[in-house]
Amino acid sequence: MQSKERAGTARGVPEGPKTGDKGLKSGAIGFVDALVFGLATTAPAYSLAAVIGLVVVTVGVQAPAVLLASFVPMFFIAAAFYHMNRVDQDCGTTFSWATRALGPWAGWMGGWAICVSGVLVIGSLADVASRYTYLLLGFEGAAGSKAAVTALALVFIGVMTAICVYGIEPSARLQNTMIVMQVTALVVFAGVALFRVFSGSAPEGSTVPELAWFSPFAIDNGGALISGLLIGVFIYWGWESAVNLTEETTDGRTASGRAALLSTVILLATYLSVAVAVVAFAGVGTASEFADDDAILSTVAGGVLGTTLGKVVVFAVLVSALASTQTTVIPASRTSLSMAKAGAMPGLFGRVHPRFLTPHASTIAIGLLAAVWYGVVNSISENFLFDTLSALSLMVAFYYSLTGFACVIYYRRELFKSAKNLLFIGVAPLLGASLLSYLFVRSLLVLADPGESYTGGSLFGFGLPMVIGVGFLLLGVAFMVLWRIFGESRGFFGRRPGTVHPEVAEGKVRVEETVGAPAEEGRV
């Protein structure tokens, strides 16, 4: 159906906000807001704190090189998101695009992977925000208490989910403030650390950066490079939430995709500067001591800025994790909304709040599932919670690579019309998807080893991270089959793969937004 208005248009009656096909508020946010959501979901401060020590342990001073190499497939997949969004502005992103290009079964699994990724990681983000809140306030006892951390984390999940329900505009205002806080803190930290290194005022053990630090070819051990790339999948993940907001963004056809592309570039600059600063100021030896400890940034920041100012970086990590707790709900909730509207999920998840114009049912469902998963898993073992994060890389690599392949296949008849199409719509997404597919398989092999598990446990002889990741994918297959047999799919599973219409590719007409919706006048 064409865009509609909630309020009457009779004379003297003010018009309500415009909504799109799924009932979401059109033009609620702009390009900058979408960019901020992409950055916030990635949680740059927390991501760096969580993995920089592990990267240094893996490749030493070549840590910046690994972050640079990890950026390449991410940017290539961001190009796929950009071009798919240009022809199909659907908040379900991978779900809708893979359905069009590869068929409903592939599309359903892509959407499932997005939803599961959110459920797996939201609790961990809230857990970090909770612990850092206590540390910032000086409550070391509470920070070391699992009960206290878990309780506050559950409160954070509830509050952030409520904000997502309340409206996208207040969410955007909150995120704009939070991203400025964390990025400013990281830039100041990196700048001061590098200044002290080059000026000679850094402590003993510091090292002046070299260009070789940025070269992946300087890493002699191929296995170490691959391991670093697997870590990179986690540290860059999340930028695509900008595209999940395409139906709520002004000029979403181009603005959302550009926001996703630019967010990956900003993340690259931020990650490289902080990684170089940490390695140069602290040295490989000190950084290696924090392989499984996200306190590395706060510890090094204390040496760089002093005890008092160093707490600014602690605050940045807190804000980063808290912001991502909220924004990570968005891709999962918008994807489940799109799936429900297409008949691929129960209609309950397709409900939009009549006042707030947000997918309140799916948002609340994702928040509840994340809280339950976190509460149960964390009560079993904190290490088990870490194993779920290891499994996250499988989900992310799966739906990212699916998007890249879908882009190439959907545009296949347009690729040779220009060199630009061939390079940016064909070659780049194909390379990105192929590399991520390889990393997916490599992750399976690595995580199959029980020794790679934080708990050291195994099931059926396989490591728990692999069991969790593959288990959720198989669970998705089971749900998909059950919905196909017993659900009211409204013909969703009868769809056939297609290719982009030439006029849609050229921007002359729009494709229908929802994969389950009939074509309309002016669309194909």
Side-chain angles (χ1 to χ4, degrees):
M1 64 187 72
Q2 301 291 341
S3 294
K4 50 191 177 294
E5 299 174 1
R6 293 177 59 244
T9 57
R11 181 176 299 178
V13 180
E15 297 182 356
K18 293 183 178 180
T19 59
D21 290 351
K22 299 183 186 65
L24 299 173
K25 187 175 181 180
S26 301
I29 62 174
F31 168 78
V32 173
D33 298 317
L35 173 64
V36 167
F37 272 105
L39 292 172
T41 306
T42 310
Y46 162 67
S47 296
L48 281 166
V51 307
I52 189 62
L54 183 58
V55 174
V56 172
V57 168
T58 304
V59 296
V61 295
Q62 261 69 51
V66 164
L67 299 180
L68 180 60
S70 301
F71 163 78
V72 175
M74 290 297 107
F75 187 76
F76 286 170
I77 295 300
F81 270 79
Y82 173 80
H83 287 99
M84 289 303 294
N85 183 68
R86 280 179 61 87
V87 297
D88 182 10
Q89 296 87 59
D90 193 300
C91 64
T93 61
T94 299
F95 159 70
S96 179
W97 305 335
T99 298
R100 293 187 185 282
L102 304 171
W105 299 89
W108 201 98
M109 286 304 298
W112 170 260
I114 294 175
C115 295
V116 169
S117 296
V119 171
L120 289 179
V121 79
I122 287 171
S124 298
L125 293 165
D127 186 272
V128 172
S130 173
R131 182 157 44 85
Y132 270 74
T133 297
Y134 288 133
L135 290 174
L136 188 67
L137 296 176
F139 301 152
E140 284 79 8
S145 167
K146 176 182 286 190
V149 170
T150 302
L152 184 56
L154 291 173
V155 171
F156 280 155
I157 293 174
V159 171
M160 290 302 163
T161 301
I163 294 174
C164 288
V165 170
Y166 184 66
I168 195 63
E169 294 102 324
S171 296
R173 289 193 292 269
L174 176 62
Q175 291 301 326
N176 289 343
T177 301
M178 293 176 122
I179 200 67
V180 169
M181 291 178 179
Q182 61 176 301
V183 172
T184 299
L186 291 176
V187 169
V188 170
F189 161 71
V192 174
L194 291 175
F195 173 79
R196 292 189 60 184
V197 169
F198 283 106
S199 66
S201 60
E204 184 179 354
S206 63
T207 307
V208 176
E210 301 176 6
L211 286 177
W213 292 11
F214 297 90
S215 174
F217 302 104
I219 302 175
D220 297 329
N221 188 334
L225 176 59
I226 295 299
S227 297
L229 290 175
L230 291 174
I231 298 170
V233 171
F234 169 77
I235 198 171
Y236 281 101
W237 171 66
W239 47 262
E240 77 277 7
S241 64
V243 190
N244 287 103
L245 294 169
T246 184
E247 296 184 49
E248 299 159 88
T249 304
T250 301
D251 191 21
R253 180 175 178 270
T254 58
S256 299
R258 286 189 291 112
L261 284 167
L262 183 56
S263 66
T264 61
V265 176
I266 294 175
L267 288 169
L268 173 66
T270 304
Y271 289 163
L272 288 182
S273 60
V274 174
V276 171
V278 169
V279 175
F281 187 88
V284 172
T286 300
S288 298
E289 295 174 3
F290 294 86
D292 296 319
D293 189 349
D294 57 25
I296 182 171
L297 285 187
S298 58
T299 301
V300 178
V304 173
L305 303 172
T307 303
T308 302
L309 289 179
K311 287 189 175 182
V312 173
V313 176
V314 175
F315 182 67
V317 176
L318 185 165
V319 168
S320 180
L322 191 59
S324 191
T325 301
Q326 178 199 354
T327 56
T328 303
V329 175
I330 289 174
S333 64
R334 267 57 178 180
T335 298
S336 54
L337 166 69
S338 179
M339 294 178 75
K341 291 292 186 180
M345 270 192 177
L348 169 67
F349 296 102
R351 294 181 182 177
V352 174
H353 197 281
R355 176 185 173 189
F356 303 135
L357 303 182
T358 57
H360 63 294
S362 59
T363 300
I364 293 172
I366 294 298
L368 283 175
L369 288 172
V372 170
W373 174 259
Y374 163 71
V376 171
V377 167
N378 199 38
S379 65
I380 297 174
S381 168
E382 185 176 356
N383 286 334
F384 194 85
L385 186 64
F386 291 151
D387 280 342
T388 67
L389 290 181
S390 298
L392 180 66
S393 63
L394 294 174
M395 295 293 172
V396 176
F398 174 75
Y399 77 82
Y400 273 3
S401 59
L402 195 65
T403 306
F405 289 130
C407 179
V408 177
I409 293 172
Y410 197 56
Y411 272 95
R412 63 184 180 273
R413 295 178 181 173
E414 306 296 315
L415 296 181
F416 295 98
K417 290 186 176 181
S418 70
K420 179 181 178 181
N421 281 7
L422 180 61
L423 180 61
F424 293 106
I425 308 179
V427 175
L430 181 60
L431 287 176
S434 298
L435 180 55
L436 286 171
S437 296
Y438 172 75
L439 292 177
F440 176 83
V441 175
R442 182 66 182 239
S443 290
L444 285 177
L445 298 176
V446 171
L447 298 179
D449 181 4
E452 295 295 325
S453 170
Y454 281 91
T455 59
S458 64
L459 189 63
F460 308 118
F462 298 106
L464 285 179
M466 176 187 168
V467 173
I468 294 170
V470 174
F472 269 107
L473 288 176
L474 292 177
L475 182 63
V477 172
F479 282 159
M480 177 174 60
V481 172
L482 289 174
W483 183 249
R484 172 66 179 87
I485 297 173
F486 302 107
E488 298 178 1
S489 57
R490 299 198 303 273
F492 168 75
F493 288 100
R495 292 185 61 93
R496 294 291 181 267
T499 58
V500 64
H501 192 283
E503 291 187 335
V504 175
E506 295 172 6
K508 295 180 180 179
V509 295
R510 291 176 58 196
V511 70
E512 70 270 17
E513 293 183 13
T514 304
V515 296
E520 302 170 10
E521 182 180 354
R523 298 182 181 182
V524 295

